[in-house]
Amino acid sequence: MSVTITRLFDQWHDAELALRDLGDAGVDHDDISVTSRDPDRTGQQAAPGDEEPGIDDDGDVSRGATAGAAIGGIGGLLAGLGLMAIPGLGPVVAAGWLAAAATGAGLGAAGGAAAGGIVGALKAAGHSDDEVHVYSEGLRRGGTLVSVKADDAQAAEVRGILERNHGVDAETRGADYRTRGWSGYDGGSPAYDRVEVETERTINRSSGVI
């Protein structure tokens, strides 16, 4: 029996270490997916006038320097890593089965890459409505999702790898969000900008849950 295990990372570096550990543990690359709105990965330090870095006037995805740097950062574990646009969230760096399910057809902004695509993909993977809301909100706030399809024999090891690298589960992060007045993910809400992402990370560090 297979289960999907997802954790939210506030820092790309922690997700990167988790990906390396998953590879070292023998987890099949095809069973791993990563989706990130980390400002350093998505090129949010754009030149003036470039509203969606990496996405051209036709809505096509660039596999330029940002994607290449990210591939190098995880040692080639996910060679399909690329940049795609999600309306409401802006650019995300993604690879693996979750990204494919969210877009419907590869990494194309015109191929159904909508915020609802991420929600639908997480639901299809077996996550509860509450988990879907929390993980989607975490992505909106600049986080990184690592999702792994694991069988019963691997599940405990996968959870251990994700959590020792500071991956946070939906129950823990959801409780924290709710203490700050959050009630659920709204796909129409704007994604956090770089300053808001950094503020969010400071709050999360002070809460002691990462």
Side-chain angles (χ1 to χ4, degrees):
M1 181 177 175
S2 178
V3 62
T4 300
I5 303 167
T6 298
R7 294 294 183 268
L8 175 66
F9 293 82
D10 292 313
Q11 301 284 346
W12 171 266
H13 177 67
D14 292 331
E16 173 183 286
L17 293 177
L19 291 168
R20 288 176 174 170
D21 287 352
L22 289 168
D24 289 345
V27 178
D28 194 315
H29 296 178
D30 290 341
D31 292 330
I32 304 171
S33 189
V34 59
T35 308
S36 180
R37 265 206 80 253
D38 184 294
D40 293 329
R41 301 276 72 81
T42 57
Q44 290 181 40
Q45 286 184 328
D50 186 0
E51 296 179 355
E52 289 191 305
I55 303 162
D56 65 23
D57 292 339
D58 296 322
D60 292 330
V61 175
S62 165
R63 291 177 179 269
T66 300
I71 290 171
I74 62 173
L77 180 62
L78 296 173
L81 200 65
L83 196 64
M84 71 178 184
I86 298 181
L89 292 179
V92 300
V93 171
W97 55 268
L98 185 65
T103 62
L107 295 177
I118 291 293
V119 169
L122 286 167
K123 283 185 177 181
H127 288 297
S128 68
D129 285 348
D130 186 63
E131 290 172 333
V132 167
H133 274 250
V134 173
Y135 288 138
S136 297
E137 181 68 14
L139 192 60
R140 186 179 78 88
R141 297 188 186 200
T144 298
L145 297 182
V146 175
S147 298
V148 183
K149 293 179 179 179
D151 59 26
D152 290 339
Q154 282 187 311
E157 183 177 18
V158 167
R159 289 190 182 96
I161 288 171
L162 297 178
E163 290 166 8
R164 73 169 179 252
N165 285 295
H166 306 295
V168 182
D169 64 26
E171 182 178 1
T172 301
R173 183 49 55 84
D176 180 60
Y177 285 161
R178 290 182 182 95
T179 64
R180 293 188 263 154
W182 178 82
S183 60
Y185 173 68
D186 178 1
S189 297
Y192 277 25
D193 62 24
R194 177 177 284 275
V195 173
E196 290 172 315
V197 169
E198 292 302 331
T199 300
E200 178 72 10
R201 288 173 175 173
T202 299
I203 293 170
N204 292 335
R205 282 194 295 270
S206 67
S207 73
V209 296
I210 63 170

